[in-house]
Amino acid sequence: MQHDLSPRSEQYLDKIVSGGLYPSKEAALEAAVEALREKNEDTPYVPDEHMEAVERAIESANAGKSTPMTAADWANLRQRALDVAARKAARGG
C-alpha cells in the first residue's frame, strides 16, 4: 500500500535512515506504527453507530426532549457495551 508523506516527514525518515537508526524507511514506518499501536492500545474503540446514538441523545437533551433512564434502558446500555467488548475480544483486541 502506497502512502504519500509530507515533505517534513520524508525528510525526517531520510535523516534517521541515513543516520543508521533504522535500516530502511519501511523499518522506520513499521516502528512508528507499532509505537502508535502501543500508545493507543488502551484507547477504547467506539463504533460509529454508538457515537451516532450518543450525538442524537445529546441533541435530544439539548432540545429538552430527554427522559429519565429506566432500569430497562440501563440494562440495554450494559448489554450493548458487553456486545462491543465481546466483538473486540473475538477480533483479538
Side-chain angles (χ1 to χ4, degrees):
M1 182 181 295
Q2 182 69 27
H3 292 285
D4 294 326
L5 298 173
S6 69
R8 182 176 180 213
S9 294
E10 284 287 352
Q11 289 172 350
Y12 183 72
L13 281 173
D14 289 340
K15 180 179 174 181
I16 62 173
V17 170
S18 66
L21 190 55
Y22 291 93
S24 66
K25 285 185 179 182
E26 290 78 14
L29 290 171
E30 286 292 329
V33 169
E34 183 59 31
L36 285 170
R37 185 177 289 119
E38 289 175 9
K39 178 182 177 185
N40 295 304
E41 189 172 83
D42 293 330
T43 302
Y45 166 74
V46 179
D48 289 342
E49 66 195 62
H50 292 191
M51 286 307 297
E52 290 166 6
V54 168
E55 292 299 326
R56 286 191 309 271
I58 290 170
E59 288 173 12
S60 179
N62 287 339
K65 299 177 183 175
S66 62
T67 58
M69 294 282 286
T70 66
D73 293 331
W74 286 110
N76 182 289
L77 188 59
R78 281 188 200 93
Q79 187 58 53
R80 290 175 84 177
L82 291 171
D83 292 346
V84 169
R87 284 196 305 269
K88 184 177 179 184
R91 289 190 315 256

